[in-house]
Amino acid sequence: QVQLVESGGGSVQAGGSLTLSCAASGFSVATHCMGWFRQAPGKEREGLAVIDSDGRTAVVGSAKGRFTISKDNAKNTLYLQMDSLKPEDTAMYYCAAAVRDFCSGSWSSLYYSYWGQGTQVTVSS
């Protein structure tokens, strides 16, 4: 049974940092495309960062230059290091796993088959 469990969310002041973790079970993060998404109230879910089976990463939009995606294959865990946080980063953050080992280049959530329950990040000004 595939399971993704996010942790590490919380409340932080603007300019601060957080590291989110996503513990995977039932499959290996080493052999799947993994991604981080977020969804703020009243907004659509948006992709932030992806990492493929070879460790190649891509970060998009406002996350570029501030967020870093990584994984530890031995721990079967995905991470999102978030620096220079802004109030507009406030959202529910989700990790996701695709069936395939490569990330398609699409940031559509439809590419991902498995999702965690999310962890809340709140950034105050």
Side-chain angles (χ1 to χ4, degrees):
Q1 180 181 359
V2 173
Q3 191 171 16
L4 299 170
V5 180
E6 301 98 333
S7 62
S11 297
V12 64
Q13 288 193 327
S17 299
L18 281 175
T19 300
L20 305 183
S21 299
C22 173
S25 59
F27 77 105
S28 174
V29 301
T31 56
H32 291 261
C33 169
M34 304 291 297
W36 283 101
F37 290 74
R38 70 183 179 190
Q39 188 167 18
K43 295 188 177 181
E44 292 187 356
R45 188 168 297 189
E46 64 172 329
L48 299 171
V50 297
I51 184 167
D52 68 12
S53 60
D54 291 330
R56 289 171 296 195
T57 64
V59 182
V60 72
S62 63
K64 193 173 291 186
R66 299 187 300 127
F67 294 3
T68 304
I69 187 171
S70 64
K71 62 180 179 176
D72 185 326
N73 292 338
K75 294 182 178 179
N76 212 26
T77 300
L78 179 73
Y79 301 98
L80 185 69
Q81 173 68 39
M82 304 187 295
D83 299 316
S84 302
L85 283 163
K86 305 174 182 180
E88 51 264 42
D89 293 318
T90 296
M92 186 72 78
Y93 284 69
Y94 300 89
C95 68
V99 173
R100 297 185 175 183
D101 59 349
F102 60 91
C103 300
S104 68
S106 167
W107 295 92
S108 171
S109 59
L110 297 176
Y111 186 72
Y112 297 84
S113 300
Y114 305 103
W115 293 84
Q117 82 290 347
T119 186
Q120 178 68 37
V121 172
T122 302
V123 185
S124 59
S125 58

